[in-house]
C-alpha cells in the first residue's frame, strides 16, 4: 500500500525484497535507511517455524551509544511505527539485551528482552513535525541494542487515534477470545502484554459471520466519542468473539493499573453485536470509569464494529483504571466487549 515501509532489519544484500507468505506484505532490506550496525540471524531453526520471516534476521549495534534509522517522509502525517525484537541468541552469548528506543531526541520507550525465544513489540502513533524522521536505538548498559523489523504505516484518517498533544504509545491491545490472543494490523505474530490487565469471571460468545469495520465517524459532540473506525487493526476475525460476564445478571468489570499514577492515556473500546437477537431481546448497557458515568445507554451494532473512546487524555489519581459495564433497565442481555486498546501519551 502507498506509503507503507516494511523493513527486514539485517536483510542482505540491501536490494533484497520478498513477500512474507502469511501476510502478503512486501519487506525490503533496512540497508537503505541506516549505514551502521552488524547484520545477524537468529540461531535456532525452531524459531523460524514459529515466527514470520521478517524477524529471522536482525541488525545489532555493538559500536556507538546511539544508532539511527533515517526516513524522508511527509510533515504533519500521522504514522503508526512498530519495532519488533526477537533476540534468538543470534550472538551465541545468551545475554538478554536491554536498551532504549528514541524518536529523534525524545525517548519513546525501553526494550528489555526477557527470553531468548520470545518476541517483543513496541508501537507508537506519531505525527511528524518535519519532513524527516529518525528512529534511534540507544545503548543504556553493557548489552548490545538490536532490532528485527521496523514498520511504518501512514494513518490517512485524521479522525482516528488523535491526541491533544504528544504521541500515543501502545500499552495494551487485546481482544476477548476464549484463549489469550492479541489483535494486530495486517499480521499475527507473537506479542506481549505490557500493562497488567484484570477481568472478573467472564465467558465468551462468537459468530461465524463477517464483522464490518467500514469507516463511519459520528461525533456526538461529547466525551467520550462514539464512532466506527477504519481500524488499522486486522480485527475482522477478532471481532467475531466478544466477552460477557459469566453470570449474565452481573456487571462486566475490566481494570488495570499504571506504575506511574500521573500517566495520561487514551482508551479505545471496540464493540459488535455477535448474536442474532430474538424478538423482545435487547442489549443495552452503561459504562462507568472509576465509578463515574462514562457512556450511557449503548447498544452495539449487529456485526459492525463501533468504537467508544475519549477525545481527551484520561488519568487516575491512584493509577488504577476501572471500567464497569452494567445492563440498563431496558436490556434483557448482558453487556459485551470485543476489543480494547490502551495508549499512553508520550510528549515529544
Amino acid at each position: 500500500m502507498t506509503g507503507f515501509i516494511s523493513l527486514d532489519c539485517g536483510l542482505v544484500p540491501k536490494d533484497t525484497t520478498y513477500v512474507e507468505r502469511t501476510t502478503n506484505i512486501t519487506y525490503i532490506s533496512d540497508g537503505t535507511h541506516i549505514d551502521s550496525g552488524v547484520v545477524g540471524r537468529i540461531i535456532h531453526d525452531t524459531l523460524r517455524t514459529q515466527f514470520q520471516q521478517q524477524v529471522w534476521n536482525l541488525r545489532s549495534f555493538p559500536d556507538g551509544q546511539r544508532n539511527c534509522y533515517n526516513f524522508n517522509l511527509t510533515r504533519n502525517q500521522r504514522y503508526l511505527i512498530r519495532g519488533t525484537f526477537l533476540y534468538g541468541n543470534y550472538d551465541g552469548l545468551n545475554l538478554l539485551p536491554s536498551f532504549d528506543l528514541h524518536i529523534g531526541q525524545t525517548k519513546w520507550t525501553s526494550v528489555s528482552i526477557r527470553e531468548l525465544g520470545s518476541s517483543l513489540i513496541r508501537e507508537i502513533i506519531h505525527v511528524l513535525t518535519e519532513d524527516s524522521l529518525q528512529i534511534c536505538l540507544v545503548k543504556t548498559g553493557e548489552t548490545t541494542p538490536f532490532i528485527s523489523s521496523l514498520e511504518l504505516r501512514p494513518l490517512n484518517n485524521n479522525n482516528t487515534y488523535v491526541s491533544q498533544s504528544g504521541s500515543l504509545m501502545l500499552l495494551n491491545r487485546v481482544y476477548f477470545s476464549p484463549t489469550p490472543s492479541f489483535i494486530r494490523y495486517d499480521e499475527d505474530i507473537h506479542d506481549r502484554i505490557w500493562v497488567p490487565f484484570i477481568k472478573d469471571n467472564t465467558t465468551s460468545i462468537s459468530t461465524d459471520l463477517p464483522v464490518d469495520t467500514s469507516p463511519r465517524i459520528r461525533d456526538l459532540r461529547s466525551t467520550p466519542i462514539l464512532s466506527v473506525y477504519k481500524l488499522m487493526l486486522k480485527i475482522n476475525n477478532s471481532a467475531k468473539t466478544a466477552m460477557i460476564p459469566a453470570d449474565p445478571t452481573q456487571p462486566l468489570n475490566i481494570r488495570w493499573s499504571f506504575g506511574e499514577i500521573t500517566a495520561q492515556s487514551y482508551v479505545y473500546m471496540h464493540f459488535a453485536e455477535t448474536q442474532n437477537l430474538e424478538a423482545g431481546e435487547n442489549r443495552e448497557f452503561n459504562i462507568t470509569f472509576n465509578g463515574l458515568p462514562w457512556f450511557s445507554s449503548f447498544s452495539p451494532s449487529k456485526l459492525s464494529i463501533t468504537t467508544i473512546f475519549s477525545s481527551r487524555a484520561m488519568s487516575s489519581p491512584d493509577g488504577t483504571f476501572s471500567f464497569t459495564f452494567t445492563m440498563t433497565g431496558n436490556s434483557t442481555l448482558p453487556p459485551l466487549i470485543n476489543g480494547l486498546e490502551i495508549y499512553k501519551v508520550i510528549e515529544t
Side-chain angles (χ1 to χ4, degrees), residues 216-221 225-228:
R216 295 192 302 275
I217 303 298
R218 181 161 65 94
D219 188 345
L220 298 186
R221 301 194 181 279
I225 292 174
L226 175 70
S227 75
V228 178

Side-chain angles (χ1 to χ4, degrees), residues 166-229:
S167 301
L168 297 180
M169 182 178 73
L170 179 68
L171 293 178
N172 191 343
R173 178 186 292 139
V174 62
Y175 70 92
F176 301 102
S177 64
T179 56
S181 300
F182 300 85
I183 47 179
R184 304 289 309 278
Y185 72 96
D186 290 330
E187 67 259 47
D188 180 20
I189 62 175
H190 289 64
D191 201 345
R192 287 294 178 267
I193 194 167
W194 299 301
V195 176
F197 173 83
I198 301 171
K199 53 185 172 59
D200 292 340
N201 192 21
T202 62
T203 186
S204 61
I205 56 176
S206 60
T207 180
D208 292 329
L209 299 174
V211 175
D212 181 23
T213 58
S214 301
R216 295 192 302 275
I217 303 298
R218 181 161 65 94
D219 188 345
L220 298 186
R221 301 194 181 279
S222 63
T223 300
I225 292 174
L226 175 70
S227 75
V228 178
Y229 270 17

Side-chain angles (χ1 to χ4, degrees), residues 33-144:
H33 293 280
I34 195 166
D35 56 8
S36 62
V38 178
V39 300
R41 190 172 176 87
I42 58 175
I43 290 178
H44 301 293
D45 290 337
T46 54
L47 292 179
R48 287 194 280 274
T49 64
Q50 298 175 29
F51 291 89
Q52 294 174 3
Q53 185 176 346
Q54 71 270 19
V55 297
W56 296 354
N57 305 299
L58 56 89
R59 185 178 295 269
S60 63
F61 303 94
D63 300 321
Q65 183 179 6
R66 179 184 176 90
N67 290 268
C68 299
Y69 285 86
N70 293 279
F71 301 91
N72 294 318
L73 300 171
T74 304
R75 184 192 302 264
N76 297 324
Q77 173 68 58
R78 180 180 294 106
Y79 278 86
L80 183 146
I81 305 167
R82 173 192 293 155
T84 304
F85 309 85
L86 176 61
Y87 173 55
N89 198 26
Y90 74 92
D91 52 9
L93 299 177
N94 289 308
L95 293 176
L96 300 178
S98 295
F99 51 92
D100 285 346
L101 280 179
H102 285 208
I103 292 184
Q105 297 299 318
T106 301
K107 181 181 175 180
W108 164 4
T109 186
S110 295
V111 174
S112 294
I113 306 300
R114 302 187 184 280
E115 298 178 18
L116 295 179
S118 65
S119 69
L120 187 139
I121 296 167
R122 290 293 184 257
E123 189 173 299
I124 194 167
I125 297 172
H126 178 68
V127 179
L128 271 63
T129 58
E130 301 176 349
D131 292 331
S132 61
L133 174 69
Q134 275 197 337
I135 299 174
C136 305
L137 291 89
V138 179
K139 190 172 184 177
T140 57
E142 299 300 319
T143 55
T144 299

